[in-house]
Amino acid sequence: MVKTYIVTGASRGIGLEFVEQIAARGDIVFACVRNPDSSKGLQALIDNKRVFGIQLDATCDKSIKAAAEEISSKASEGVDILINNAGIGGTMGLNVENTSKEEYLKVFETNVTGVSEVLKAFLPILRKRGQENVKKVLNMSSMLGSIADMETGDGLGFGSAYCVSKAALNMLTKMFASQLAKENFIVYSSHPGWVKTELVKHPGGDDAPTEKKDSIAGQLAKLDSLTAQDNGGFFDFNGKPMSW
Ligand SMILES: NC(=O)c1ccc[n+]([C@@H]2O[C@H](COP(=O)([O-])OP(=O)(O)OC[C@H]3O[C@@H](n4cnc5c(N)ncnc54)[C@H](OP(=O)(O)O)[C@@H]3O)[C@@H](O)[C@H]2O)c1
């Protein structure tokens, strides 16, 4: 059966690859991006049948509301899967001693409250699928948000704001998972691997070992095979459980 997805941060990187692979499977995808006209990659995929381009800035309430209304009108029967992928890295190289309050707030606004606001606004669209259908939410986290596996005070160079934001996102995942379990939702955090994208453009970034196509193929396989036991979990792109 054809499934309907929403992907945020679909202009490039991991999000765009999700859109490409979802469309290639013959499923329907609402590709949410800040500036739909400026993503050539996405423009090439939009056909308004399987792939729809939707304007969405995860930090802007007005934009989130308009996106929810547009998707709701186009997907009258609801949406099966929300992939909360939009995220920012913040300033590279900052550690816990020199990260400002402004830096934390900037990164949190996209990576934590952005995800929360988008998920809350899109819940009615997912709920349209009814109690009998499983609704799935993937929150794009990172191994750098794992408290158990934390290595350095600068998050291996990614900055403490990014790591703290992904740890907070993981708690948000757990809390939404608990809240929505009775409504047949599966909400989980995913670590996509260390993938070659603009987010990891820094010295050493070219060494990122994971190709986008493998990361997304693995994450789609996990989405396909999720069971109720996975609700509130944290998995890598191969579906292997991660430490919180
Ligand atoms: N690459 C990795 O190795 C890696 C590892 C762990 C986790 N992740 C996570 O994977 C996700 C995708 O990252 P990526 O590697 O694909 O990075 P990327 O190439 O930098 O893409 C980030 C995407 O997020 C979008 N975005 C940023 N702020 C947004 C906002 N306020 N509203 C809507 N969209 C926004 C960007 O849109 P614009 O084009 O408009 O800027 C872009 O589409 C992120 O959550 C990241 O933390 C990546």
Side-chain angles (χ1 to χ4, degrees):
M1 203 188 102
V2 172
K3 295 279 181 200
T4 305
Y5 293 71
I6 298 171
V7 179
T8 68
S11 65
R12 55 190 158 89
I14 289 169
L16 182 60
E17 181 70 25
F18 262 117
V19 173
E20 198 165 342
Q21 291 198 22
I22 291 166
R25 286 151 57 118
D27 287 327
I28 294 169
V29 55
F30 292 95
C32 299
V33 290
R34 280 195 282 206
N35 305 299
D37 296 338
S38 64
S39 172
K40 286 204 179 86
L42 180 59
Q43 286 304 329
L45 296 172
I46 291 174
D47 59 6
N48 291 313
K49 292 190 188 85
R50 297 271 180 197
V51 182
F52 297 84
I54 307 284
Q55 197 281 331
L56 172 80
D57 181 337
T59 66
C60 172
D61 295 346
K62 209 172 139 198
S63 161
I64 294 171
K65 186 166 179 281
E69 284 169 2
E70 190 178 350
I71 295 172
S72 195
S73 71
K74 291 193 159 96
S76 54
E77 312 243 305
V79 163
D80 302 285
I81 295 136
L82 167 62
I83 300 177
N84 268 317
N85 166 73
I88 58 170
T91 309
M92 298 287 299
L94 294 179
N95 64 40
V96 273
E97 285 195 75
N98 57 25
T99 298
S100 64
K101 179 171 88 176
E102 288 71 29
E103 174 73 10
Y104 279 112
L105 291 175
K106 186 184 80 181
V107 177
F108 263 60
E109 195 184 13
T110 302
N111 293 3
V112 186
T113 57
V115 173
S116 174
E117 291 303 301
V118 167
L119 178 43
K120 285 189 293 176
F122 289 180
L123 269 181
I125 309 174
L126 291 150
R127 284 181 171 134
K128 275 193 198 173
R129 300 294 294 126
Q131 178 73 28
E132 65 279 18
N133 291 302
V134 186
K135 286 80 61 185
K136 301 174 182 174
V137 179
L138 182 165
N139 289 335
M140 197 61 75
S141 183
S142 169
M143 62 177 280
L144 294 174
S146 166
I147 293 172
D149 291 338
M150 196 280 300
E151 288 187 35
T152 61
D154 68 349
L156 301 173
F158 277 85
S160 56
Y162 181 73
C163 303
V164 175
S165 77
K166 293 296 188 183
L169 175 66
N170 284 347
M171 179 56 102
L172 193 72
T173 294
K174 284 288 251 198
M175 297 183 103
F176 266 112
S178 167
Q179 181 80 11
L180 298 173
K182 59 186 176 302
E183 291 183 66
N184 204 4
F185 273 78
I186 300 174
V187 184
Y188 70 106
S189 284
S190 181
H191 166 57
W194 185 20
V195 190
K196 288 185 194 85
T197 65
E198 282 185 37
L199 192 100
V200 296
K201 264 198 183 156
H202 65 96
D206 287 341
D207 299 336
T210 311
E211 296 296 336
K212 276 182 288 194
K213 66 174 175 35
D214 299 326
S215 169
I216 278 56
Q219 290 182 87
L220 284 174
K222 182 65 189 172
L223 269 167
D224 289 343
S225 65
L226 285 172
T227 67
Q229 281 70 40
D230 294 325
N231 189 36
F234 183 19
F235 305 99
D236 73 7
F237 70 98
N238 287 316
K240 194 170 140 263
M242 300 278 299
S243 304
W244 291 108

